[in-house]
Amino acid sequence: MAKKVFKVDGNKFTEWEAPDDELIVKPFTEVVPPDATDKMIISFNWITNQWETVDVVSKKDFDTTNEALVELAQKISGLEKKGE
């Protein structure tokens, strides 16, 4: 039988297979990388044996928020012009 291991290269990884009784050492880990769409891997911490991630916003959410901000800026600009 074989187990899944991950070769860490900065914030990237590749999946490999290793024998079940194989000792896994750096740059390989058995810790499964996070698979969340709202997380981005920035590195692997070899001391705590954990993937380090940051929260990210989806393109759709970014575009929606950006459109709302543009609309708000236009309304504020219109109000300032009326007040002159």
Side-chain angles (χ1 to χ4, degrees):
M1 297 289 298
K3 60 183 173 183
K4 284 185 186 177
V5 295
F6 303 90
K7 183 177 182 185
V8 179
D9 183 18
N11 65 343
K12 296 178 178 25
F13 63 90
T14 51
E15 190 174 311
W16 292 55
E17 286 189 356
D20 284 334
D21 59 350
E22 186 74 21
L23 177 64
I24 305 303
V25 295
K26 190 176 182 180
F28 293 90
T29 181
E30 293 181 71
V31 179
V32 178
D35 191 23
T37 57
D38 63 340
K39 301 280 184 195
M40 181 175 76
I41 296 172
I42 57 171
S43 66
F44 188 81
N45 186 323
W46 295 102
I47 296 169
T48 61
N49 208 32
Q50 294 178 329
W51 291 97
E52 297 190 347
T53 62
V54 292
D55 295 333
V56 295
V57 177
S58 71
K59 173 127 174 65
K60 180 184 174 193
D61 288 344
F62 174 80
D63 289 343
T64 302
T65 303
N66 199 36
E67 287 174 19
L69 286 172
V70 167
E71 261 183 60
L72 180 60
Q74 289 172 341
K75 288 178 181 178
I76 290 172
S77 179
L79 290 173
E80 287 177 347
K81 287 179 183 175
K82 287 180 183 177
E84 287 180 12

